[in-house]
Amino acid sequence: MANRQVKDSVFRKLFNNRRELAKLYQAIQPGIEVLPKDIKITTLRNVFLDSQKNDLSFLWKGKSVILIEHQSTWNENMPLRMLPYIDKMYRKIIKERDAKRAIYLSKLVKIPTPKFYILYNGPKLSAPRPELRLSDAFENPQDGDLELVCHVIDISYDCNSEILNACQPLHDYSYLVYLIHANQLHGMTDDEAIQQAVFACIDQGILKNFLKQYGKEVINMFSLQWNEEEARKYREEYAREEGRSEGRSEGRSEGRSEGKGEMILNMLKEHMHIDVIERISGWTADQIRALAQKNGLAVE
């Protein structure tokens, strides 16, 4: 069963250190020299509501760089999602620099220049856009006084990206995700696809040290990430069913035909992790296990 406390995505687990971030940013900015010693990691906690944290941020020579891996269905609202992040980032920087009072003085207070990157690793886009702008969301785009630009970089393994070729850890990570998708297309369950991809990468020497050290954790992270994506389609159903049956014991006995029990059975059949089912349904782990046992289903 996946650890409920696991919050980082595999992407953040792999790159949340100065050495790997330097390699990644060097690939994004090939015309400059990026050294680990010049990087200060500033990744924030609890900004986005997603269960899986796939964001990274760091300071580098007067720039505040924010990276987000985007692996699910394409989302046009990424610039809007960036707003609370950069707000919290600047608040933190001002506090650390003890500049709270200085911003009310006449002398200009300097802040790091923000740079936003979306590393897209989801379903193939028919026409990927190189940039997403906050102003695209304005009701009157030509009359706004605020802008935020997100640079979109396709890191899919089969996209033949120069950035992948320039950053071995990113290339290897992209290959791991590619293998998982390929295994799914060949009929494997999500958990089987993830495990087989991890084992194949270790055998091929791809991310070998990372996967040997964190293999079980990586499998749990990917499993939770995939199950969270699947879980979204049940949330609307859960909202409809919520409140229909307050007696959960009756709900469990009648669950095969209607209500939350039927929804939970469907999630169990799709091999969702029990912690995901708990968050969506409100049932306890013991209740879910009892329903699974009664219907001859395994609990992940």
Side-chain angles (χ1 to χ4, degrees):
M1 183 178 74
N3 185 343
R4 188 177 313 179
Q5 301 304 315
V6 170
K7 292 294 183 183
D8 286 354
S9 65
V10 178
F11 173 79
R12 186 150 93 170
K13 183 77 172 178
L14 177 60
F15 286 101
N16 203 23
N17 64 80
R18 294 192 300 173
R19 184 185 67 248
E20 303 302 342
L21 271 179
K23 294 177 184 176
L24 177 54
Y25 196 53
Q26 181 72 79
I28 294 174
Q29 298 286 353
I32 56 179
E33 184 179 26
V34 181
L35 300 176
K37 67 181 181 66
D38 296 324
I39 286 178
K40 178 184 178 182
I41 295 176
T42 55
T43 301
L44 300 177
R45 299 280 173 177
N46 303 321
V47 179
F48 299 127
L49 299 178
D50 311 61
S51 295
Q52 287 281 294
K53 307 306 178 186
N54 58 353
D55 57 287
L56 288 166
S57 64
F58 61 93
L59 296 176
W60 179 83
K61 292 189 175 182
K63 291 183 180 180
S64 179
V65 182
I66 299 172
L67 303 164
I68 291 184
E69 185 206 18
H70 183 7
Q71 209 177 103
S72 58
T73 304
W74 179 245
N75 187 338
E76 294 281 334
N77 298 305
M78 296 303 287
L80 191 58
R81 294 184 65 199
M82 290 285 196
L83 275 180
Y85 201 104
I86 195 61
D87 172 63
K88 190 170 183 178
M89 177 71 67
Y90 280 143
R91 288 173 183 267
K92 181 179 179 182
I93 290 171
I94 290 171
K95 182 178 180 180
E96 289 177 351
R97 294 183 178 182
D98 196 24
K100 282 188 175 182
R101 289 193 302 171
I103 61 176
Y104 296 102
L105 302 178
S106 58
K107 184 178 180 180
L108 184 65
V109 175
K110 293 289 189 176
I111 58 176
T113 304
K115 296 293 290 184
F116 303 95
Y117 297 94
I118 299 170
L119 305 182
Y120 183 70
N121 201 11
K124 201 66 178 176
L125 294 173
S126 56
R129 295 168 57 191
E131 292 181 350
L132 292 179
R133 292 178 173 269
L134 181 65
S135 58
D136 293 338
F138 296 166
E139 292 191 9
N140 299 297
Q142 306 303 322
D143 195 34
D145 292 328
L146 178 66
E147 186 60 280
L148 188 155
V149 181
C150 293
H151 303 279
V152 181
I153 301 172
D154 192 347
I155 63 167
S156 304
Y157 179 71
D158 54 357
C159 74
N160 196 28
S161 168
E162 293 182 4
I163 289 179
L164 288 186
N165 296 329
C167 180
Q168 192 65 43
L170 187 65
H171 173 278
D172 292 352
Y173 170 73
S174 179
Y175 178 68
L176 172 59
V177 174
Y178 170 81
L179 281 186
I180 295 173
H181 286 304
N183 289 342
Q184 290 171 322
L185 290 175
H186 281 84
M188 294 186 188
T189 66
D190 288 348
D191 288 344
E192 290 171 340
I194 294 163
Q195 292 177 23
Q196 291 300 318
V198 168
F199 297 151
C201 283
I202 293 175
D203 289 342
Q204 296 174 42
I206 295 171
L207 295 178
K208 185 174 182 178
N209 293 335
F210 176 77
L211 292 176
K212 289 185 75 172
Q213 183 175 359
Y214 300 109
K216 185 176 180 180
E217 189 175 352
V218 166
I219 290 171
N220 285 339
M221 286 175 175
F222 271 129
S223 295
L224 182 59
Q225 182 174 335
W226 257 259
N227 280 291
E228 285 284 358
E229 180 72 12
E230 281 293 308
R232 290 173 188 170
K233 69 183 181 181
Y234 291 100
R235 286 179 182 149
E236 183 177 347
E237 179 183 351
Y238 171 56
R240 290 196 303 267
E241 297 296 340
E242 190 177 25
R244 284 191 181 180
S245 175
E246 297 298 325
R248 283 179 178 163
S249 60
E250 291 81 7
R252 288 199 305 275
S253 63
E254 298 172 1
R256 297 196 61 175
S257 59
E258 63 180 8
K260 293 180 185 177
E262 183 177 5
M263 178 187 70
I264 292 171
L265 284 174
N266 288 336
M267 289 191 281
L268 288 167
K269 290 174 183 177
E270 295 193 20
H271 307 286
M272 289 189 181
H273 281 284
I274 193 170
D275 55 339
V276 177
I277 300 175
E278 281 184 276
R279 286 199 297 275
I280 296 173
S281 68
W283 283 30
T284 67
D286 288 341
Q287 289 172 324
I288 295 168
R289 289 193 183 97
L291 180 64
Q293 184 176 10
K294 181 178 178 180
N295 291 276
L297 297 171
V299 176
E300 297 294 333

